[in-house]
């Protein structure tokens, strides 16, 4: 009995289409994949049958035959962070221009989740992977490498010449933030960091310490408050801890804007004025930074550009362009965007 789109929960197959249209399976395949090889009359007839039966091509079967899918995987640390949303948009634009789709996955800053997703990508034979690593050891990517699927690190500098990366100089970004605060007269600064295993968090701290040293200030002028996550709730918690210190710093530099917005909320709730009583600098310059109750000074990262450039490198490595590929580590420069959260010098 012929299967139909509604029959027994199963859709029509390519053989059903061929039988109904009175043509060979090869002709149906040509209509779908190489329509220029089929006469217009036959093509229209087969397309009518496809529409009537509700046939949908099995992409997984096509991928098995081709050995690789037309999907790029993007694995980020936190899709709740608008920075990664903008990064994904940049990646998607470049991928779509190349006839590819992007599957976005969230490791939630977990090395274990990262390993699971990388295993899934290998099983699905994705076209390539863009990844912001959560695993500080690099073991997950080392294991993934054996599958022969190209990948590019995003928002992280590659550890060696055997892989590509596109990142922003986070040491320079941390220095920009603290140099700005020092220029406003602040000599006691809190650094609200994130999970210590994240290299970006450590690099921004290094840049902050460099700026203090340039100004002749000791390392202990930077008071680190470690947050277990890089989100608004963690920022509010850090702000509460900051309010409870005996000698409160006069300025705060946060490892990202979500933390900074949480700190700002804590200060506002406690009646602490920003920037008159305490100045705040964030990092990433997400859209919400400018729209905050007190517009947030932030170190801007070109998120969409990161996604675009990383995708272009990945397509080049995957052989989708005419360019001869060589592994490159592209490092972009951040910029400071000054707004109301730091404007008044002390």
């Amino acid at each position: 009995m012929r299967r139909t789109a509604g029959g027994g929960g199963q859709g029509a197959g390519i053989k059903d289409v061929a039988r109904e249209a009175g043509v060979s399976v090869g002709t149906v395949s040509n209509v779908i994949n190489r329509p220029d090889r089929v006469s217009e009359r036959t093509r229209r007839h087969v397309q009518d049958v496809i529409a009537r039966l509700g046939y949908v091509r099995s992409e997984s079967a096509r991928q098995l035959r081709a050995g690789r899918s037309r999907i790029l995987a993007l694995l980020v640390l936190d899709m709740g962070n608008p920075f990664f949303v903008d990064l994904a948009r940049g990646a998607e634009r470049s991928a779509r221009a190349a006839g590819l789709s992007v599957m976005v996955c969230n490791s939630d800053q977990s090395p274990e989740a990262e390993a699971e997703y990388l295993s899934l990508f290998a099983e699905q034979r994705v076209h390539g992977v863009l990844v912001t690593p959560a695993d500080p050891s690099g073991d997950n990517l080392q294991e993934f490498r054996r599958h022969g699927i190209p990948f590019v690190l995003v928002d992280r500098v590659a550890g060696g010449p055997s892989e590509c990366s596109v990142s922003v100089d986070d040491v320079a970004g941390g220095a920009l933030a603290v140099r700005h605060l020092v220029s406003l007269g602040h000599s006691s600064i809190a650094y609200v960091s994130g999970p210590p295993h994240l290299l970006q968090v450590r690099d921004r701290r290094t840049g902050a310490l460099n700026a203090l040293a340039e100004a002749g200030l000791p390392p202990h002028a930077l008071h680190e408050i470690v947050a277990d996550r890089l989100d608004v709730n963690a920022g509010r918690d850090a702000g509460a801890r900051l309010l409870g210190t005996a000698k409160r710093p006069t300025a705060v530099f946060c490892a990202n804007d979500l933390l900074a917005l949480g700190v700002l909320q804590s200060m506002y709730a406690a009646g602490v004025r920003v920037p008159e009583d305490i100045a705040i600098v964030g990092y990433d310059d997400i859209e919400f930074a400018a729209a905050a109750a007190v517009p947030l000074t932030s170190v801007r990262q070109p998120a969409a550009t990161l996604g675009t450039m990383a995708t272009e490198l990945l397509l080049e490595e995957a052989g989708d362009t005419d360019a001869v590929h060589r592994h490159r580590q592209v490092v972009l420069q951040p910029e400071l965007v000054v707004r109301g959260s730091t404007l008044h010098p002390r």
Side-chain angles (χ1 to χ4, degrees), residues 24-178:
S24 69
V25 170
T27 297
V28 177
S29 177
N30 282 337
V31 168
I32 296 168
N33 299 299
R34 295 172 292 276
D36 56 301
R37 297 187 180 183
V38 184
S39 70
E40 182 178 355
R41 180 179 178 182
T42 299
R43 184 170 66 248
R44 287 182 176 177
H45 173 58
V46 172
Q47 287 171 341
D48 286 344
V49 173
I50 287 172
R52 187 167 72 249
L53 296 184
Y55 168 72
V56 178
R57 177 175 62 175
S58 171
E59 180 65 15
S60 59
R62 189 198 66 79
Q63 290 172 198
L64 284 173
R65 291 191 297 272
R68 209 164 35 147
S69 80
R70 300 297 292 172
I71 294 175
L72 296 182
L74 171 60
L75 181 57
V76 300
L77 294 176
D78 180 11
M79 275 308 296
N81 186 340
F83 167 76
F84 288 112
V85 175
D86 290 341
L87 191 154
R89 286 191 179 119
E92 184 182 30
R93 279 196 294 268
S94 291
R96 290 185 66 181
L100 301 172
S101 300
V102 176
M103 172 175 61
V104 182
C105 300
N106 178 28
S107 72
D108 203 27
Q109 305 170 32
S110 164
E112 293 75 24
E114 175 184 273
E116 292 174 4
Y117 274 120
L118 290 173
S119 178
L120 174 65
F121 300 157
E123 290 174 8
Q124 297 298 315
R125 297 299 299 170
V126 298
H127 201 75
V129 176
L130 303 168
V131 55
T132 303
D135 174 24
S137 71
D139 290 345
N140 288 342
L141 284 172
Q142 189 61 36
E143 171 68 15
F144 182 72
R145 189 189 302 275
R146 69 185 179 88
H147 297 289
I149 298 173
F151 65 87
V152 173
L153 305 186
V154 190
D155 195 32
R156 177 74 58 83
V157 180
S162 61
E163 55 200 27
C164 287
S165 65
V166 182
S167 62
V168 172
D169 188 339
D170 283 316
V171 175
L176 278 175
V178 171

Side-chain angles (χ1 to χ4, degrees), residues 143-223:
E143 171 68 15
F144 182 72
R145 189 189 302 275
R146 69 185 179 88
H147 297 289
I149 298 173
F151 65 87
V152 173
L153 305 186
V154 190
D155 195 32
R156 177 74 58 83
V157 180
S162 61
E163 55 200 27
C164 287
S165 65
V166 182
S167 62
V168 172
D169 188 339
D170 283 316
V171 175
L176 278 175
V178 171
R179 197 177 291 132
H180 170 64
L181 292 171
V182 169
S183 74
L184 296 175
H186 299 284
S187 58
S188 178
I189 300 168
Y191 175 50
V192 177
S193 66
H197 70 270
L198 296 179
L199 182 60
Q200 296 95 321
V201 168
R202 300 200 303 271
D203 281 352
R204 291 165 196 177
R205 180 179 183 275
T206 297
L209 290 171
N210 290 348
L212 290 177
E214 289 173 10
L217 294 170
H220 60 76
L222 190 73
H223 311 267

Side-chain angles (χ1 to χ4, degrees), residues 255-274:
N256 77 356
D257 284 341
L258 295 181
L259 288 172
L261 291 170
V263 171
L264 179 61
Q265 289 177 10
S266 289
M267 298 300 116
Y268 184 82
V272 176
R273 298 172 302 165
V274 176

